[in-house]
Amino acid sequence: MPAGPTTHTTDVLIIGWGLAGLVAAAEAVSAGKRVTIVDQEARSNLGGQAWWSFGGLFFIDSPEQRRLGIKDSLELARQDWFGNAAFDRAEDLWPRRWAEAYLQFAHEEKRSWLRQRGVGFFPIVGWAERGGYTAIGPGNSVPRFHITWGTGPGLVAPFQAAVEAGESAGRVTILPRHKVTALTTGAGAVTGAEGDVLAPSGAARGMATSREVVSGFSISAGATIVASGGIGGNHDLVRRWWPERLGTPPATMLTGVPAYVDGSMQAVTEATGARLINGDRMWHYVEGVQNWDPVWPDHGIRILPGPSSVWLDATGTRLPVPLFPGFDTLGTLAYLRSTGHDHSWFVLSQKIIEKEFTLSGSEQNPDLTGRDVRLLAKSRLGKGASEPVQAFMDHGADFVVRDTLDELIAGMKALPGGDVLDADRVRLEVESRDREIDNDFTKDAQIAMLRSARAFRGDRLIRTASPHRILDPGSGPLIAVKLHVLTRKSLGGIETDLSARALGANGEPVPGLYAAGEASGFGGGGVHGYRALEGTFVGGCLFSGRTAGRAAAAAI
C-alpha cells in the first residue's frame, strides 16, 4: 500500500526538467529564488528530449551566415516565419506576438546569450525546410540551421550545470520519479502541485519505466511553471488531435521521442482553468526509419536528407514538385497521407548517401556531440558513409543495398508493404530522371534545385552531392530506404501571454501559473502556427523557459 504523502515548500515549482524547465530554473535561481523541479522519470533523463536532439538553432544574420556569404535580415526572416505560420485564427493573437518577440531574440540577443554560457556552433550553416514555392510561401529563403557544437547535450550542459550548482548551494531541490496528477489551488490562484511518487528506477536515459506508485507528495509554491513537453510519445493523443488537413492518421507510426513525452500534463493544466489552443497543429516527419538499436518503444530515427534522393510513394510514383527531400515536411506528409499507404521510399546511390545523409539526434552524430574534430573531418569529408549511417545500411530493417536496379526493386518488394510497388514505374522514374542529368539545364525541378543548392558553399562542401546518374555504376551501389511517419512535436499547447503566464478561457492570466517549452506550443500556445522553420524547437524552449523563469521569479 502506498505510503502517505510528503510535503515540500518552494518559491518556484517547475514541472519537467527538459531544456525549457532547466532554463527556467537557472533564471529563477539567479534571481535568488528557491526552486523545486519535479519529473516523472529517473534522474538519468535530466535534460529531457533536448538531450537527444541535433541541437539545431535558428539565428538571423549571424556571423556564421555572413562568413558563408548568406545575406539574411530580420525582414526576410519575418517574411519566412509568417509565410510558414499562416496564422489565421482568433487564437493566434498571442502566438503572433510570441513570433515577433522570438524573431527579435533570434536576431539580436540569442546567440550572444548562449555564447556567454560557453555554447559554440559548427561553422557550416544548414538549409532546412527550403520551401520551393513563392517568396511569401513556406520555407527558409536562406540557410539558418546552426548546429550546436556538442549537439543537444552541449546545449543542455550550461543550464544543467547552473541548476546543479544551485542544488549544491541548497537553492534547488530535484525530485525524480514525482508524477504530478493535479495542480493545487487556493484563493483563486495556483499554489503548487500534488501527485504520485513512483518506484525508483535505474533505467538508462530514454528507456520506458514503470508507473508503480509507492507514495504521494504535495508541494506548495509561490509560482508554478509547467514545462512538461508535448505528446509525441503518446500515439493515442497524436491520433486524437490529428487534423483533417493532413489526411487520415497512419495506422502505424514510429516514435521520435521517449515514451515519457506523453502529454499527461495537458489535462491536468486544463483542469485548473488554463486554456489549451491549437492542439491540431503538430509536426511529424516523413523520413523516419526503424532504429536498429532502439532505446524506447517503436524508436525511430529521422534522416536529415540532402536534396538529391529520388522520393517515391509506396507504389513507386515520384512525389510532385516541390516535395523533394528537405523542402516541405508537412506538405509532404499531407500528400503521402492521401496515397493510402503509411510508407514511402528514397532511391539513391552510394555517392549520394555518403555526402548527403545525416541522422537526427545527438547519439547518431558522435563527431559533433563529442566535439571530435578529427572524427568530424573523417565522417563529413572522407570517403564512404559515416559510421552511424553505415550501421543502418548494414543492420537497418528499412535499408536495401544492391548492385542493379532490378535487384534493388526486388529487395524493396520483399519488405513489408513492398507488394504494392510497381517495378515498371520505379524503373521509369529513375531512368527518366537520369536522362535529365546530361545537360546543365533541365526541366526536372529537383535537378535544377540541387544545382541551385550547390551555389551555396556549405551545401557544396558537405551537404549536396554533385549531380550524377543514380544508375551510373561508378556511383553505386544502389540504395533504397523505406520511410515511415515519425512522431515528434506538438505545435499547440497552453496559451500564454508574453510573460509566459498561462491564460484562462476569459483571456486573463491564471494567477500563479506559467508555461514554457513544448507544453506551451514553444510560446503563446503555438508560436510556429501551422509549420515550423527547423532550429526553432530547442530555440523556443530556450526563449520561453527564460521568459517563464524570469517572470515567475519577479512575481514572488
Side-chain angles (χ1 to χ4, degrees), residues 26 120 122 145 191 252 365 457 468 492:
F122 186 56
F145 191 76
T191 57
T252 59
N365 294 275
R457 286 194 305 247
H468 63 278

Side-chain angles (χ1 to χ4, degrees), residues 6 17 37-45 174-181 195-203 207-217 260:
T6 57
W17 58 29
I37 306 171
V38 300
D39 196 283
Q40 64 186 349
E41 292 305 312
R43 184 153 177 163
S44 57
N45 288 281
I174 300 176
L175 299 175
R177 302 295 282 161
H178 281 56
K179 179 179 176 60
V180 172
T181 59
D196 299 325
V197 178
L198 305 179
S201 171
M207 296 189 69
T209 58
S210 80
R211 291 296 178 260
E212 178 189 352
V213 177
V214 297
S215 65
F217 74 91
Y260 58 71

Side-chain angles (χ1 to χ4, degrees), residues 392-470:
F392 272 83
M393 292 174 65
D394 294 340
H395 308 294
D398 296 313
F399 283 70
V400 181
V401 183
R402 299 290 189 272
D403 290 324
T404 70
L405 185 57
D406 286 343
E407 292 171 334
L408 188 75
I409 294 170
M412 296 164 71
K413 290 179 73 67
L415 293 185
D419 56 300
V420 301
L421 192 71
D422 183 334
D424 291 336
R425 185 70 191 194
V426 175
R427 190 174 294 104
L428 173 66
E429 295 284 16
V430 176
E431 290 177 348
S432 299
R433 178 264 185 206
D434 273 8
R435 292 189 191 100
E436 295 289 323
I437 288 291
D438 288 343
N439 296 292
D440 291 338
F441 44 87
T442 178
K443 71 175 182 180
D444 189 301
Q446 183 178 4
I447 295 172
M449 287 300 293
L450 69 91
R451 285 186 170 132
S452 173
R454 285 178 60 83
F456 167 50
R457 286 194 305 247
D459 269 1
R460 186 171 64 253
L461 180 63
I462 65 169
R463 198 72 179 111
T464 305
S466 58
H468 63 278
R469 288 176 176 259
I470 289 176

